[in-house]
Amino acid sequence: MGILKYITDMLFSIRTTLWSLWLLIALLFAGAFVMPAKEEFQTIHSMPLFDWLSEQNVAITWWLWASIAVLILLTLNTLFCSIQSVLKKRGVSNFLLVLSPQIIHIAFLFMLFAHLLSSYGGFKEMIVAGEGAAFQLNRDGVVLVIEGIEISSDPAGYMSDWSINIAYASGEKLIRKDIIRPNSPSLYEDFNINVKDLRAFPQKAALIQISREPGALWALAGGVLFMTGIITLVILRVKTSRE
Amino acid sequence: MFKLHILSLILYGAGIFKRPFLYAGLAVQSAYLLSRGLELHRLPLVGAHDTLAFIAASAAAFAIPFGINLNWNSKYQKGAALLAAAFTLFSMFSKQHNIPLPPVLKTLWFELHVVTAFLSYALFGIAAVLGTIYLIEKVEKNEALQYKAILIGYCLFSASMIFGGVWAYLAWGTYWLWTPKELWTSILWLFYSLYLHARLRPWWAGKPSAILGIVGFGVVMFTYLGVSLLMKSSHSF
């Protein structure tokens, strides 16, 4: 009973928030120096984070594991404190001032959930392809065809624009055509097809990346919620300080 | 055109002593940035030279409303002018990025990402000045204004991270990359989150949170200049 009370008290406390944030900052600080120094981190984007972590030596990933542990604590702490704050201050006159930080907290949790989803179920593959190349996209037999690569340069020789005409087909049947441009990937089902690099000589070729980020929509929702909460909070704080 | 940049430095320097020079420095530096934009046919926000000049002008601009609130406290005026002058000086010794932008940078998401980031850096700088003055004069209003500057800066910095994530997803298929810059950006965001939460605790109110706000600006500077210059990432100069 005593231990349970200690744990719940700890989860309801803003002191836990502060200690968790300090710890997280210290761990990421350490990671910011470990990461560039170790070659193993070159492959961190090649697979989902948890798959990558399971393959690496803890001697170089300890700070990531510890950060995940602190984030779990911070998630519980955020949930407990937010619920407590809303319940305690239900009747106050400026309820929006109580609610807006909690919207920010929910948005933070959305973003953490997004990272969790992507760290488990993310997918990434790179393919070098020239005009006319085709490769299978999924198990249903959908094929991605590179129909044409256009690269334009300015008079000084710098690449000014590019586009890649692609087609999705299944057997002989054309599903749809699309164009990939800078900052405009082709989205097919839950795949994001974009271009990482291009080459005009000796033959036109593109480094195509096929990726899947299951957390992308959650992250976007979190971003929208976060901005809603923080803008409301800023307006209310500025307003109340003037009154 | 570069003469405008030199003139703005001189004016900010004079602004340490007389306020109208700070206004004049801002006007001249804005004209310089405008002329850079017209010359490059884009927002002059790529590379250390232009971004430092943009932070200097933003710091001078943000200094005005806080200055009015403080009846232009002379220490604050000195600090704000010194901040703008320092950024302008560093900008003068940084290389200009005059080549056309690669296609991936020609998007509104990039512009929103960098504009909000550098506006937030300027506000964090002003917050550090306000915190320093609070430590010297012990007037509570300075600390309250420091909090306000950090809160607005935090809002803009968060917006920058969100815009950057959307842009990265569209450009590179992912909203997050494990690079030193992203890690330091997270450290910075967590640090100011810590400041905003710590200020709610009685022990942290006043002097400790003012110090935290000043240290935060050190983290800003390392995230912006240190990481960009010393560590390899998509944000390198």
Side-chain angles (χ1 to χ4, degrees):
Chain A
M1 203 64 187
I3 292 174
L4 195 68
K5 191 181 176 320
Y6 175 79
I7 292 170
T8 48
D9 284 352
M10 187 184 79
L11 291 175
F12 276 121
S13 170
I14 196 169
R15 286 182 68 187
T16 308
T17 317
L18 300 182
W19 280 110
S20 304
L21 286 170
W22 272 121
L23 200 55
L24 200 53
I25 289 166
L27 289 166
L28 294 183
F29 179 81
F33 288 97
V34 173
M35 209 167 66
K38 299 288 175 187
E39 253 183 37
E40 289 87 339
F41 282 91
Q42 302 276 334
T43 58
I44 195 168
H45 296 119
S46 61
M47 60 182 87
L49 180 69
F50 287 120
D51 290 350
W52 182 86
L53 277 172
S54 65
E55 286 179 10
Q56 302 302 322
N57 192 328
V58 182
I60 62 159
T61 57
W62 59 270
W63 60 277
L64 266 170
W65 286 113
S67 299
I68 292 165
V70 176
L71 281 170
I72 292 169
L73 176 65
L74 202 54
T75 300
L76 293 171
N77 178 238
T78 306
L79 275 172
F80 273 68
C81 286
S82 291
I83 293 166
Q84 187 191 39
S85 180
V86 173
L87 291 178
K88 260 188 178 176
K89 298 171 187 170
R90 259 184 305 181
V92 298
S93 57
N94 203 348
F95 190 60
L96 211 53
L97 198 57
V98 178
L99 204 61
S100 51
Q102 313 323 323
I103 293 171
I104 296 170
H105 290 159
I106 292 166
F108 172 66
L109 296 181
F110 268 46
M111 288 178 202
L112 287 185
F113 186 60
H115 279 286
L116 183 71
L117 286 178
S118 294
S119 300
Y120 262 119
F123 166 84
K124 205 170 280 179
E125 196 164 314
M126 305 271 198
I127 297 157
V128 178
E131 288 176 320
F135 41 87
Q136 194 168 325
L137 194 62
N138 61 14
R139 285 178 188 164
D140 300 336
V142 174
V143 172
L144 176 67
V145 184
I146 308 297
E147 293 192 324
I149 300 173
E150 298 295 328
I151 302 171
S152 8
S153 305
D154 64 15
Y158 292 106
M159 187 190 293
S160 57
D161 202 5
W162 55 261
S163 66
I164 297 189
N165 291 296
I166 60 164
Y168 298 98
S170 181
E172 293 293 302
K173 193 182 148 205
L174 173 74
I175 299 171
R176 75 174 161 100
K177 290 190 176 228
D178 204 353
I179 303 173
I180 306 174
R181 292 195 173 92
N183 300 301
S184 175
S186 177
L187 304 174
Y188 183 82
E189 291 177 350
D190 52 353
F191 290 110
N192 177 323
I193 292 121
N194 63 74
V195 173
K196 296 288 277 187
D197 204 2
L198 284 153
R199 187 184 69 189
F201 303 104
Q203 283 165 331
K204 284 180 185 170
L207 179 61
I208 309 271
Q209 178 185 264
I210 302 166
S211 60
R212 188 174 55 211
E213 285 273 16
L217 272 176
W218 284 93
L220 182 66
V224 172
L225 264 181
F226 194 96
M227 288 321 296
T228 309
I230 191 95
I231 290 169
T232 311
L233 186 67
V234 168
I235 292 168
L236 291 174
R237 284 267 185 242
V238 172
K239 210 176 125 191
T240 47
S241 70
R242 275 187 190 156
E243 282 164 3
Chain B
M1 208 167 63
F2 197 75
K3 284 174 188 165
L4 285 177
H5 202 34
I6 298 167
L7 182 61
S8 65
L9 175 66
I10 295 165
L11 289 167
Y12 283 143
I16 294 170
F17 308 101
K18 291 279 178 196
R19 194 185 346 138
F21 288 115
L22 178 66
Y23 297 144
L26 172 60
V28 171
Q29 193 159 50
S30 302
Y32 173 68
L33 284 167
L34 184 68
S35 65
R36 286 279 299 156
L38 291 171
E39 183 195 1
L40 299 166
H41 303 289
R42 60 169 165 82
L43 280 184
L45 283 173
V46 179
H49 176 84
D50 290 332
T51 54
L52 281 163
F54 183 79
I55 297 177
S58 306
F62 282 128
I64 297 169
F66 290 99
I68 293 167
N69 229 307
L70 288 173
N71 289 325
W72 283 105
N73 170 313
S74 74
K75 285 192 183 75
Y76 169 78
Q77 181 199 315
K78 282 182 174 57
L82 199 64
L83 185 72
F87 277 121
T88 308
L89 185 67
F90 289 135
S91 165
M92 282 173 62
F93 290 105
S94 308
K95 203 179 151 199
Q96 289 182 345
H97 190 281
N98 291 330
I99 58 170
L101 290 184
V104 75
L105 297 187
K106 293 175 189 167
T107 166
L108 181 68
W109 293 112
F110 166 71
E111 290 170 351
L112 289 169
H113 173 59
V114 292
V115 167
T116 47
F118 294 126
L119 288 177
S120 72
Y121 289 177
L123 272 165
F124 292 144
I126 292 294
V129 172
L130 288 162
T132 309
I133 293 161
Y134 170 75
L135 293 180
I136 299 167
E137 294 183 345
K138 308 273 186 294
V139 177
E140 272 188 27
K141 194 178 183 184
N142 294 331
E143 198 273 328
L145 286 174
Q146 182 195 30
Y147 164 72
K148 216 180 272 184
I150 287 177
L151 184 64
I152 301 168
Y154 181 79
C155 176
L156 288 166
F157 188 68
S158 304
S160 170
M161 287 175 79
I162 292 163
F163 292 140
V166 174
W167 173 39
Y169 182 75
L170 295 174
W172 300 292
T174 181
Y175 56 89
W176 174 262
L177 287 167
W178 288 99
T179 69
K181 183 73 178 189
E182 271 77 3
L183 272 191
W184 273 98
T185 301
S186 304
I187 290 170
L188 180 58
W189 186 81
L190 288 167
F191 193 91
Y192 281 108
S193 302
L194 174 74
Y195 167 88
L196 293 171
H197 285 89
R199 208 172 165 276
L200 300 170
R201 296 275 303 166
W203 189 86
W204 281 93
K207 193 176 167 185
S209 67
I211 293 170
L212 214 53
I214 297 165
V215 173
F217 188 55
V219 183
V220 169
M221 284 296 91
F222 189 78
T223 304
Y224 167 48
L225 292 173
V227 180
S228 301
L229 292 168
L230 303 173
M231 296 175 181
K232 199 183 163 214
S233 82
S234 58
H235 293 78
S236 299
F237 291 141

